[in-house]
Amino acid sequence: MHMLRFLLILPLALLISIPAALGQKFPGLDKSPADIVYLRKGNKPIVKVVYSRPAKSDRQIFGDLVPYGKVWRTGANEATEIKFYQDVVFGDKPVKAGTYVLFSIPGETSWTLILNSELDQWGSYGYKDKYDVARTEIVPAKVSDPIEYFSIAFRDEAGGGVMMLGWDMVLAEVPIKW
């Protein structure tokens, strides 16, 4: 008798669960995928950056898509976040351990990098300079081959490292010391 009930209930349960399983929809891949990069001293993290990587896609980037002289989220989608696991010197500015938003103001001959304490922002639309923690100036360089996806990477150096931001024909670098 128990087996007969089981055999009657099983097909009904399957019929109910199939539409629910088919109804699950997940979004497709983001056109500007998120990425995470670390600067480490041995196995110890010093800096972590969470950002999105837009593609060049045959577009003119700096001075057009990313206008000169305007605050940029330094990537795509949500504003880029940077976490310092200890106190550092970012460019030429001392910065306390903590998490910040990394904004940029690209220019033709120099960039301003901004650390801002107002987290969880979409883009740079809500940027308020009253939350700036540090600003540092850097001079970008031209590269010989275009960089298709906006990229952030670190290079080790004695007493710290260098954060490299590259996209299109531009490479901008900022030293980080501890």
Side-chain angles (χ1 to χ4, degrees):
M1 186 67 165
H2 292 294
M3 185 62 155
L4 182 59
R5 266 193 213 149
F6 175 76
L7 290 174
L8 289 173
I9 293 174
L10 180 63
L12 181 61
L14 287 174
L15 285 174
I16 291 171
S17 66
I18 288 174
L22 294 176
Q24 297 299 317
K25 293 185 181 179
F26 293 96
L29 291 178
D30 195 327
K31 289 184 181 183
S32 299
D35 203 353
I36 299 173
V37 63
Y38 282 90
L39 173 61
R40 297 178 186 273
K41 181 179 180 181
N43 286 332
K44 181 183 174 189
I46 305 297
V47 183
K48 175 174 82 172
V49 179
V50 179
Y51 70 108
S52 291
R53 302 185 64 191
K56 177 173 169 37
S57 301
D58 295 322
R59 300 178 289 183
Q60 173 63 39
I61 302 303
F62 296 105
D64 188 21
L65 180 68
V66 177
Y68 291 132
K70 296 201 185 252
V71 175
W72 175 46
R73 67 183 107 192
T74 318
N77 303 327
E78 292 84 5
T80 294
E81 287 193 359
I82 185 167
K83 178 177 183 177
F84 299 103
Y85 290 84
Q86 65 183 53
D87 295 354
V88 299
V89 176
F90 181 77
D92 58 353
K93 303 293 191 258
V95 177
K96 295 286 185 194
T99 303
Y100 306 94
V101 172
L102 175 66
F103 289 116
S104 306
I105 303 174
E108 289 185 64
T109 59
S110 70
W111 283 27
T112 302
L113 295 183
I114 304 166
L115 298 178
N116 185 280
S117 64
E118 190 173 23
L119 302 177
D120 301 314
Q121 295 189 49
W122 174 263
S124 57
Y125 307 108
Y127 168 75
K128 295 178 190 84
D129 63 2
K130 69 181 180 180
Y131 297 110
D132 288 357
V133 172
R135 284 178 168 234
T136 191
E137 299 293 318
I138 58 173
V139 176
K142 297 284 184 196
V143 295
S144 56
D145 294 316
I147 301 166
E148 177 62 25
Y149 290 92
F150 174 68
S151 300
I152 298 176
F154 289 103
R155 180 178 71 238
D156 289 331
E157 282 195 357
V162 173
M163 183 171 69
M164 302 173 292
L165 301 95
W167 197 18
D168 194 9
M169 301 300 290
V170 175
L171 176 64
E173 299 183 334
V174 60
I176 299 173
K177 303 288 184 192
W178 56 83

